[in-house]
Amino acid sequence: MKSNKANIYHVFTRLFGNTNTTNNPWGTKEENGVGKFNDFTDKALEEIKKLGITHIWYTGVPHHGIIGDFPEIGVESDDPDIIKGRAGSPYAVRDYYQVNPDLAVDVTKRMEEYEALIARTHKYGMKVIMDIVPNHISRHYVGKNNPEGVEDFGVNDDNTVEFDRNNNFYYIPGKAFQVPDPRNNYRPLGGEKHALSDGKFDEFPAKWTGNGSRLAKPDFDDWYETVKINYGVRPDGSKDFDELPDDSKNWDWKRLFEFWQDKDVPDSWKKYRDIALFWLEKKVDGFRFDMAEMVPVEFWSYLNSHIKNRNPDAFLVAEVYNPDLYRDFIFKGKMDYLYDKVELYDTLKRIMYGYGSTDDLPLIFERQKDIAHHMLHFLENHDEQRIASPEFAMNPWKALPAMVVSATVSTSPTMIYFGQEVGEPAAEKAGFGDPSRTSIFDYIGVPQHQKWMNGGKFDGGQLTDNEKALRNYYSEILNFTLDNEALSGEYADLHTFNRIQNQAYGSKQYAFARWSENQKLIIVTNFDEHHWVNTKLQLSPFVFEAWNLEIGEREISEVMFGKKKTSLRVFESFAEIDLELGPWESAVFEVK
């Protein structure tokens, strides 16, 4: 019995294969090491696949700002005054038609090495996702690899005006860009001398900064390493392009594609369309779109309908944090999946911290009932704190009830971040930024992940028994979601009914039912760190009626981990199971 679930392995490409354990703050790649495309060997990909993964999101692939020269390809160093870290932010893309030279063994063949990685990933039955960052690009964008007929960003802009619908950027006429004043004794490269590190960067006239700052001298906390892309939205927020009709939320991508064919759209729309189609030609299977809500939904309907026209199965994931916009981005913008950050992730994080309540979960799932399939579930990503960090949960096992819920509660995809499955705490002071999040700005090793890598053997040879058990637990959850068709079927809450009926069932437990025509599952979790649960769990009247069970008592088995059996008793008007769970324990019972 198979489900239609997708499981994403989110990996920071530059860090994955790095076996160097030096970890000097602000260290160079020669000191601290750097991972390569080629580090994703057949063995590595085989083991990722065995974890229960269907898609790999390779983060940081496009050529972004980096400190250091690459004379073999005529690429000069970026200016440290507008680069965060030494290795640079993957979200300050410097050339969209080429890949990060740091990731190649032979920088003159960096695209060929990426294409080989795509082919290897496909060989192991997994699909490839990569980043596109439509809201902003590097302050030092240099399109050295544009295909024939593609003009660079800004080359035809009228920079004497703040706004023109076909300008690629917004300008601050008559004013030069100024590097922001640093805070907390920050110095580029940790204070190391560099020929370009003089507190200046030549940009006249200044452009708006990536997060929307309209100051020629942005704040240090602004995204000052990037500039904002102009999509035809005027500075007052009004739109200088055709808007979608109200009923477009009911259109499929084909009708949206047809809608845009005779429309005159801003130049930036076409540039990003061409970028996406370029990577589809390289056999990339989908994209993760950064900060999508900062770009108008009309653009997304245009871009995504063009992507789907080229590849109807393209896998499109977007970072959107405003729940009021979810449906527009799904139904009009034709996003397949959106981050479920501010509702599910933040709620589960509060529960893991110890002050949240599982009573909040049914409310979320009820609100999202019509879009549940489209909400991507995760407990870690490159923006969020590592579960095992002292600043979050400290103990990685504390997250496993949340992992069971997020992976099994709906038909939506589940994502894990590399190292999560072995308890990576992100304790290193890498350079730019603070510990608790694995650095995306610097050259660094990822210690727990390196123990699993075991010098390139990818066999977990340096992990402790406890760490191996943790990874096995993740593997059991993820593979279970792929192999059980009930998880592609119906969902019903059991929590609310049992909270009313049973004082022994509390706000640190969560229970729900999933079922299809051929399979019925009862899923229960205990988020309590210290206390066992020993009670009777009842089916809700809705589930009792839907399942139409035969009266009597029978034994049912736990099927995710295979360690438990219990009794199901069916009476004329209700049914119940004996429930016993230890701290942080979960169980999935199959009713046959």
Side-chain angles (χ1 to χ4, degrees), residues 316-347:
L316 305 177
V317 179
E319 186 182 25
V320 175
Y321 294 139
N322 182 350
D324 291 338
L325 298 178
Y326 286 170
R327 285 160 184 82
D328 274 355
F329 278 85
I330 292 166
F331 298 124
K332 292 183 178 180
K334 285 294 170 270
M335 295 296 183
D336 293 319
Y337 307 105
L338 306 180
Y339 274 32
D340 199 347
K341 195 275 185 199
V342 299
E343 294 193 315
L344 184 59
Y345 169 83
D346 284 351
T347 300

Side-chain angles (χ1 to χ4, degrees), residues 218-256:
D219 188 84
F220 185 70
D221 290 332
D222 288 328
W223 306 345
Y224 62 83
E225 76 278 26
T226 67
V227 291
K228 185 169 178 63
I229 297 293
N230 167 16
Y231 283 92
V233 179
R234 300 182 185 93
D236 66 3
S238 61
K239 297 174 178 179
D240 196 356
F241 48 78
D242 288 286
E243 297 189 47
L244 292 166
D246 287 342
D247 68 341
S248 62
K249 63 180 178 293
N250 301 316
W251 296 0
D252 62 13
W253 67 260
K254 294 178 182 177
R255 188 167 177 190
L256 282 169

Side-chain angles (χ1 to χ4, degrees), residues 440-549:
I440 66 170
F441 303 108
D442 287 282
Y443 300 108
I444 202 74
V446 184
Q448 285 294 104
H449 171 71
Q450 288 176 324
K451 290 166 70 175
W452 172 74
M453 253 197 324
N454 193 22
K457 295 179 182 177
F458 300 101
D459 62 0
Q462 297 177 36
L463 296 174
T464 66
D465 288 344
N466 187 60
E467 292 158 353
K468 290 177 183 176
L470 180 69
R471 191 172 191 277
N472 287 338
Y473 199 107
Y474 273 95
S475 180
E476 287 178 320
I477 294 172
L478 293 171
N479 279 291
F480 183 84
T481 66
L482 299 181
D483 292 336
N484 288 270
E485 69 172 49
L487 300 182
S488 293
E490 302 296 321
Y491 159 86
D493 169 47
L494 300 178
H495 176 83
T496 305
F497 181 72
N498 280 276
R499 285 284 278 142
I500 295 169
Q501 296 289 115
N502 184 356
Q503 288 187 340
Y505 175 94
S507 63
K508 292 185 182 298
Q509 289 79 54
Y510 194 66
F512 54 96
R514 298 297 312 276
W515 71 96
S516 64
E517 185 177 346
N518 300 310
Q519 188 180 37
K520 299 178 179 67
L521 301 177
I522 299 169
I523 301 173
V524 288
T525 57
N526 182 19
F527 287 86
D528 199 306
E529 182 175 353
H530 303 292
H531 299 101
W532 284 71
V533 179
N534 197 334
T535 186
K536 292 176 173 55
L537 182 84
Q538 285 194 32
L539 298 186
S540 68
F542 174 77
V543 173
F544 180 78
E545 183 176 345
W547 283 10
N548 192 28
L549 299 171

